[in-house]
Amino acid sequence: MAKPKKFYGVQVGRQPGVYETWDDCKAQVDGFPGAKFKGFLTREEAQAYADNKTFNPKTQSYESPNTTGGVEAYVDGSYWEKKYAYGVVILTEDKEIHMNGVGNDPEMVSMQNVAGEIMGATAAIQWALNNNIPKIVIYHDYAGISEWATGAWKRNKKGTDAYFRFCRDAKDKVDIQFVKVKGHSHTFFNDVADGLARKALGIDEPVAKKVKDHIEDVECSGWVE
């Protein structure tokens, strides 16, 4: 049976857009710092990805995250030897901000890297509150980061319930949007957030050299009160 035709969406590369062959796609992303690309079965999906749009099930259409007047934040978590950590990359119009930190709440430790990602989302939202940012779009790879925040998922731990209540109260002051990215999909800033979380735990591997170099180039702000 013939393989289905694939369309390649290039979000970050030499020439973003949709390509019908891997060779054409590779020419745009191979060796390009922070390249973001993905294969799809339909041109519509590939184009939406290239345009950084996500599917809204309510409207049954692809929409762009609205960051006008706001910022984007990539969050991720890591776990090692009964400690969890978070990494955050915040992108404003003119700068890139890195944050990371370690947690060891006995109740949350069992959630491992997910606990770190919750901590990261909390830190990103707190940063927006502290800096009077009207809107923040949080890119995350674990579904619960958005589902617990909105109340869609049941909160079985004090930590997840505290996270829900924090997000509920924060929404009175900042517009919080969530965008799920596929884990380990080599989305550059998601990889940087992962690298920051690992760095907080003293883990060097496996982190790509270009990610390590990028982290070293940007000063880390640490936890935000």
Side-chain angles (χ1 to χ4, degrees), residues 84-170:
Y84 54 88
Y86 77 91
V88 175
V89 179
I90 293 177
L91 303 175
T92 72
E93 291 183 355
D94 58 1
K95 62 183 176 180
E96 178 179 334
I97 299 166
H98 290 182
M99 299 186 293
N100 64 359
V102 177
N104 58 3
D105 183 328
E107 184 178 354
M108 295 295 284
V109 162
S110 63
M111 298 181 72
Q112 300 188 4
N113 59 303
V114 173
E117 196 162 350
I118 290 173
M119 196 176 178
T122 300
I125 295 169
Q126 187 62 59
W127 183 90
L129 290 169
N130 291 352
N131 290 275
N132 298 314
I133 302 297
K135 187 177 302 179
I136 184 169
V137 178
I138 297 178
Y139 294 84
H140 60 96
D141 58 26
Y142 184 71
I145 300 303
S146 58
E147 301 303 276
W148 282 316
T150 60
W153 279 12
K154 186 176 181 180
R155 285 95 58 200
N156 295 321
K157 294 182 179 293
K158 289 182 179 179
T160 54
D161 189 56
Y163 173 62
F164 161 74
R165 288 184 282 106
F166 171 78
C167 291
R168 178 196 62 194
D169 295 343

Side-chain angles (χ1 to χ4, degrees), residues 1 5 9 28 32 65 98 107 114 132-133 143 158 173 178 182 212:
M1 181 181 294
K5 180 179 177 62
Q28 304 304 320
F32 190 90
H98 290 182
E107 184 178 354
V114 173
N132 298 314
I133 302 297
K158 289 182 179 179
K173 299 178 181 179
F178 295 94
K182 185 177 180 180
K212 286 183 181 179

Side-chain angles (χ1 to χ4, degrees), residues 12-14 28-36 188-189 210 214:
V12 178
R14 294 180 179 85
Q28 304 304 320
V29 302
D30 191 30
F32 190 90
K36 295 170 64 175
F188 183 69
F189 287 114
K210 67 179 181 180
H214 187 79

